[in-house]
Amino acid sequence: MKLTGIGASEGVAVGPAFVPATSRPDPERYRITEDEVDAELQRFEEAVEAVADDLSETGERLRAAGSEEEAGILDFHIEMAEDPELASEVEERIRNLESPEAAVLAVGEEYAAQYAAMDDEYLAARGDDVLDVTGQISARLMGRAASSFEALETPSVVISHTLAPSDTARIQKGMALGFVTAEGSRTSHVSIMARSMGIPAVVGVGPALEKVLDAKTVAVDGAEGYAISDPDAETVADFERMSGALAEERAALDEYRHVEAVTSEGLRIEVAANLGSSSEAEGALEWGAEGVGLFRTEFLFMERDELPSEDEQYEAYSAVARAFGEKPVIVRTLDVGGDKNLPGVDQPQEENPFLGWRGIRMSLDTPGLFQPQLRAILRAAANGNLKVMFPMVADVGELEAAKETLLKCRRELESEGAKIGEVETGVMIETPAAAVCAAELAEEAAFFSIGTNDLVQYTLAADRGNERLRRLQNADHPAVLALIRRACEAANAAGIPVGVCGEAAGEPAMIPKLVELGVTELSMAAPQIPRAKKVVSEL
Ligand code: PEP
Ligand code: MG
């Protein structure tokens, strides 16, 4: 069966399908009869045992491979699966003639809702774990294999309703061959992660995803935006051919990796990489990155249960600074909220998270989070050419307040005698307000970086993750281009540089337009760099 969606990350892959437990559809059967009760109770007990056995087997394997953190999560999942209270609630429902597969899901949802309502953010995040475990038990009762992300041990195509950044972080390196999701758009975070990992992804396939949850094998074409479940031999051969052709195409672009991108008129455009973690730095340099235009620090905070300390952050930022040497590295302060939640931080449940307490708003309100990050950046700046950038700024007051906090941190560190470096302060232009007020912001900023992903979403009032709004998720819209023009003109008048770090920066059709508008730095997923350099060189 063919599923069409949005081509979110180029490349093709064929491999076994992996469906996380949370993506299983509703049970086919909801009610049982009086005389089935005993047998169903027995079946439930056996399913719990089987899931717990599987989890502990995977945990042991992970531990043997040195993945202690993931193994710890599985220990916790086993405890949940065997929780006597959960079991007794499910059993009561079975006695009331609910099918065990429906009962365990219902109890899981009740627990998850209770967790979500908790004040403690760590516990609130445990709701997903309960859903994961009860999903596995239910899937087992329905005779389907189902597992959690940590359990993925064969390179596979991940098929999931949705994939949060915290989900992708749980997948072990090299185990995801491709992603297929029901939700999402080109600029949702799963797509961004897929592109920087160089993994093909098709997102936004919609409810049709449910029809392929039982597929054994899946083929993905992340450029054309489709996936095929259980492809026949001929299709597999086609995909293998395409994969070979793509490898050739990439090889042909290799000569552009380490050239400077200069237009025929002699305009030099800096082509940089967007990074999600310090471990991507070396790879980005190999792709030809001339700097880091956007280091999304939030991923450093999301791959774990507690917040990273100032020292840990210092190490991560220093690693990138050292790897890039004199090349500029723009570290963006924490941008959570929207579809990115943080374990360990008290984030409210919001009606409209994308219009909520995110980015600089949250940082300014949470000095305990913001100041250690700024201190770590200032200290790491002694090891390279770091710059700092603030996300989601809507007015000059926010930028001033952020700069004041930075100054306070600098003074503190100086009085402590710490080694620190100079950092330029830039601002993201990703709210329409920032673009409109660009002239004022330019007086206070050393550079602009346009975040087209959010700028498009807020200008066109179109959720960046909603697959139905594909037509509007487009930086090439006159309203968006007008705002980009305005920001470029303001920057130009103030004599500061403008870059683009949203996904438009890596799109061959957008590059000429952005350069024409006055953008001089383009920052993108590293695998896109050689092609962007080629496009610029041909202008
Ligand atoms: C953007 O909004 O364009 C951007 C680069 O930031 P993020 O995708 O992390 O929101
Ligand atoms: Mg953004």
Side-chain angles (χ1 to χ4, degrees):
M1 171 171 179
K2 183 171 177 177
L3 293 181
T4 36
I6 300 163
S9 176
E10 284 166 37
V12 292
V14 188
F18 174 83
V19 182
T22 37
S23 270
R24 290 286 161 190
D26 294 338
E28 289 139 15
R29 184 180 73 135
Y30 285 87
R31 307 295 296 171
I32 56 172
T33 57
E34 200 75 61
D35 37 318
E36 285 170 332
V37 168
D38 284 343
E40 294 296 342
L41 284 169
Q42 172 80 19
R43 254 177 21 91
F44 168 65
E45 201 177 303
E46 284 164 8
V48 169
E49 247 171 67
V51 166
D53 284 352
D54 270 7
L55 287 171
S56 81
E57 216 175 278
T58 312
E60 271 164 39
R61 269 203 299 271
L62 286 173
R63 221 159 238 136
S67 306
E68 189 52 46
E69 202 174 324
E70 286 85 357
I73 298 176
L74 292 191
D75 289 344
F76 179 60
H77 283 191
I78 296 169
E79 251 175 64
M80 278 191 170
E82 292 177 332
D83 182 56
E85 213 172 301
L86 186 138
S88 78
E89 287 183 35
V90 175
E91 283 158 9
E92 195 184 320
R93 281 173 176 264
I94 298 173
R95 286 194 196 93
N96 286 327
L97 307 185
E98 234 173 275
S99 78
E101 46 269 47
V104 70
L105 286 180
V107 172
E109 267 159 32
E110 275 176 22
Y111 272 52
Q114 282 168 21
Y115 274 118
M118 285 186 186
D119 258 353
D120 180 323
E121 192 60 31
Y122 174 77
L123 287 177
R126 302 285 65 82
D128 287 343
D129 292 295
V130 188
L131 291 179
D132 194 333
V133 172
T134 49
Q136 289 180 58
I137 300 171
S138 176
R140 175 76 55 154
L141 283 158
M142 291 187 270
R144 296 171 176 149
S147 16
S148 60
F149 290 105
E150 289 82 4
L152 184 48
E153 290 181 319
T154 318
S156 304
V157 176
V158 177
I159 306 179
S160 182
H161 188 64
T162 170
L163 276 170
S166 54
D167 295 330
T168 38
R170 288 164 58 196
I171 298 172
Q172 308 232 73
K173 211 169 174 186
M175 290 302 140
L177 292 176
F179 295 129
V180 182
T181 66
E183 292 180 358
S185 72
R186 259 192 77 76
T187 59
S188 54
H189 285 96
V190 54
S191 309
I192 293 172
M193 300 275 277
R195 283 195 290 276
S196 66
M197 291 155 96
I199 292 172
V202 178
V203 303
V205 301
L209 187 92
E210 294 197 358
K211 302 201 185 102
V212 306
L213 291 178
D214 289 323
K216 295 245 170 333
T217 310
V218 178
V220 199
D221 182 335
E224 294 301 317
Y226 69 91
I228 296 175
S229 61
D230 293 321
D232 55 23
E234 207 180 308
T235 312
V236 172
D238 279 349
F239 268 73
E240 276 161 6
R241 259 194 305 279
M242 282 197 280
S243 170
L246 269 175
E248 266 177 42
E249 208 179 294
R250 286 219 164 133
L253 282 172
D254 268 356
E255 59 173 300
Y256 287 93
R257 285 190 187 211
H258 300 292
V259 301
E260 291 191 345
V262 182
T263 67
S264 57
E265 286 175 2
L267 179 67
R268 167 101 165 80
I269 303 294
E270 189 184 315
V271 184
N274 291 350
L275 300 191
S277 82
S278 53
S279 62
E280 293 167 25
E282 291 300 334
L285 282 163
E286 278 166 29
W287 284 109
E290 296 168 325
V292 174
L294 170 64
F295 182 6
R296 289 186 167 94
T297 57
E298 50 275 8
F299 293 113
L300 183 72
F301 287 67
M302 282 184 311
E303 288 168 20
R304 45 194 299 142
D305 287 337
E306 309 134 27
L307 297 172
S309 66
E310 178 185 319
D311 282 346
E312 270 177 83
Q313 292 185 61
Y314 163 77
E315 291 302 338
Y317 308 151
S318 294
V320 182
R322 284 195 197 99
F324 277 81
E326 292 187 348
K327 298 186 174 92
V329 172
I330 302 177
V331 182
R332 180 177 73 181
T333 59
L334 201 52
D335 181 21
V336 290
D339 65 348
K340 295 178 279 195
N341 285 321
L342 265 201
V345 174
D346 203 4
Q347 274 166 273
Q349 289 282 333
E350 296 180 309
E351 289 259 321
N352 292 300
F354 273 120
L355 301 181
W357 196 52
R358 60 172 296 206
I360 195 67
R361 305 166 181 185
M362 182 188 188
S363 290
L364 288 173
D365 289 346
T366 322
L369 206 59
F370 196 32
Q371 291 177 15
Q373 179 165 43
L374 293 177
R375 286 171 56 98
I377 294 171
L378 286 163
R379 286 170 54 201
N383 300 317
N385 182 7
L386 287 196
K387 301 172 191 239
V388 64
M389 174 160 80
F390 302 115
M392 283 300 294
V393 168
D395 59 45
V396 76
E398 288 172 338
L399 177 57
E400 281 167 350
K403 282 175 68 181
E404 233 165 77
T405 313
L406 184 68
L407 188 63
K408 176 178 178 283
C409 293
R410 170 176 289 283
R411 296 229 168 95
E412 251 172 38
L413 286 164
E414 278 166 355
S415 71
E416 290 165 22
K419 214 168 139 209
I420 55 177
E422 283 306 318
V423 292
E424 284 187 352
T425 313
V427 61
M428 285 198 73
I429 304 292
E430 58 179 344
T431 65
V436 172
C437 299
E440 270 175 281
L441 289 168
E443 284 174 24
E444 289 293 325
F447 61 91
F448 282 169
S449 184
I450 302 176
T452 46
N453 308 338
D454 279 316
L455 189 61
V456 168
Q457 133 162 301
Y458 296 126
T459 305
L460 304 177
D463 181 341
R464 64 196 265 178
N466 187 331
E467 74 276 7
R468 291 190 191 85
L469 305 179
R470 203 166 159 184
R471 184 180 65 79
L472 290 168
Q473 285 148 353
N474 178 13
D476 193 11
H477 183 288
V480 178
L481 294 175
L483 289 175
I484 297 177
R485 179 186 302 279
R486 190 175 169 103
C488 287
E489 284 172 356
N492 196 18
I496 62 167
V498 191
V500 174
C501 62
E503 299 309 309
E507 289 166 11
M510 280 304 294
I511 292 172
K513 299 187 186 195
L514 296 172
V515 170
E516 170 81 38
L517 288 170
V519 168
T520 56
E521 183 236 28
L522 297 165
S523 192
M524 61 202 70
Q528 298 173 333
I529 289 175
R531 189 178 55 196
K533 287 187 174 178
K534 179 169 191 272
V535 173
V536 172
S537 307
E538 288 168 355
L539 286 180

